[in-house]
Amino acid sequence: QVQLVESGGGLVQPGGSLRLSCAASEFILAYYAMSWYRQAPGKGRELVAAIVSDGEGTNYADFVKGRFTISRDNAKNTVYLQMNSLEPEDTAQYYCNTDSRRHAFQFPWGQGTQVTVSS
């Protein structure tokens, strides 16, 4: 069973940056459009950013446009999320998985990585 492992989260001050990584236990991510999602306490999971399988197309939720950048390295079986100009409202657990708008299939959810933005 494929396992997704997210990493790179942490505590950062407002205006700071983090780079998240998502790796899979098997060489399979290249076949899928992938997304980053987040879930804040007491809220539902929401899509943050998405990237097509070859990396040539991306899209973002309005609340992160201009601040976050999704990318991928299929040779390394890894998807990234560069987060700049972080705001307290970005505090959440961040997860990666297939883009649910393009794929009915999703991997079992990983544990995610916690991002906390606070002064």
Side-chain angles (χ1 to χ4, degrees), residues 28-37 47-60 69-75 77-80 97-103:
I28 197 170
L29 295 187
Y31 298 104
Y32 295 96
M34 294 294 294
S35 289
W36 282 96
Y37 302 82
L47 189 144
V48 174
I51 186 166
V52 296
S53 58
D54 64 3
E56 294 299 312
T58 60
N59 61 81
Y60 300 89
T69 302
I70 188 171
S71 61
R72 66 192 301 158
D73 186 338
N74 286 340
N77 202 39
T78 303
V79 180
Y80 304 98
N97 215 314
T98 64
D99 185 348
S100 58
R101 299 167 304 175
R102 291 178 179 267
H103 302 292

Side-chain angles (χ1 to χ4, degrees), residues 38 46-49 60-68 87 89-90 94:
R38 72 185 186 186
E46 58 185 357
L47 189 144
V48 174
Y60 300 89
D62 286 344
F63 51 78
V64 303
K65 277 183 182 176
R67 301 189 297 125
F68 291 11
E87 303 169 352
E89 293 75 20
D90 296 317
Y94 283 72

